[in-house]
Amino acid sequence: MKKKLSLMFTSAALLLMMIVTLCACSSYGSVKKTFEKEGWTENEKLVEMQDALLTEMLGEDYDSACTVHALGKDGTLLNYVIILEFSSTEEMEKQIQESDTLKGMIKDLQNSDYVSGNCVLAFFTPMGGGNEVFKSTK
């Protein structure tokens, strides 16, 4: 009886650990939540406008490597950020190594203010304060 009970607890603990690990794969949820607390909202029009820039930075098939998120504040184009959410940190590191633009922007991946988990702050308007909000998600 003790073996069965021990096996059930071990299995339950393993299952819980797997669920937590799978849920923690992307850091974009916490990044988005932090921005929303500061009054930022997602803006699909901005994503469309950034297509040419991202094609230049990451190549023609950038959308298979990452998801683009654009968040704006105050309903203007003066306050916005572009965040690239990569499928994993390994994919992010690979794309940064292959892109001279990203490599120039992010010199020290581990200590960069532009990286939070598997997300990269690709663009921000200096007056909007998005850079400071992103830094707070680290």
Side-chain angles (χ1 to χ4, degrees):
M1 181 69 173
K2 283 186 177 183
K3 285 185 179 184
K4 283 187 179 183
L5 190 58
S6 175
L7 183 61
M8 284 186 356
F9 281 124
T10 304
S11 298
L14 181 61
L15 181 63
L16 181 63
M17 190 167 57
M18 288 175 56
I19 290 171
V20 169
T21 303
L22 291 174
C23 292
C25 289
S26 179
S27 61
Y28 180 70
S30 65
V31 170
K32 180 181 175 185
K33 190 174 184 178
T34 303
F35 271 93
E36 287 176 342
K37 284 181 184 176
E38 297 292 325
W40 295 73
T41 57
E42 288 202 75
N43 188 328
E44 288 299 316
K45 290 180 184 177
L46 290 174
V47 172
E48 294 169 9
M49 290 173 47
Q50 296 303 314
D51 187 51
L53 171 70
L54 294 169
T55 300
E56 180 68 29
M57 285 173 60
L58 300 172
E60 291 293 327
D61 60 344
Y62 77 87
D63 54 348
S64 66
C66 68
T67 303
V68 180
H69 301 281
L71 298 151
K73 187 174 184 180
D74 305 329
T76 68
L77 290 179
L78 299 175
N79 297 328
Y80 72 97
V81 296
I82 303 294
I83 298 171
L84 306 178
E85 176 192 9
F86 291 89
S87 57
S88 66
T89 53
E90 291 82 17
E91 181 65 30
M92 178 184 68
E93 290 170 4
K94 176 183 165 209
Q95 290 297 325
I96 289 171
Q97 291 304 315
E98 292 176 1
S99 168
D100 290 335
T101 306
L102 284 175
K103 198 184 304 180
M105 186 177 91
I106 303 167
K107 297 191 184 346
D108 183 0
L109 186 63
Q110 307 306 327
N111 298 317
S112 175
D113 291 335
Y114 302 112
V115 176
S116 180
N118 65 326
C119 295
V120 174
L121 180 63
F123 182 81
F124 62 93
T125 52
M127 301 300 286
N131 186 27
E132 295 302 317
V133 176
F134 191 82
K135 283 182 189 179
S136 73
T137 66
K138 291 188 78 154

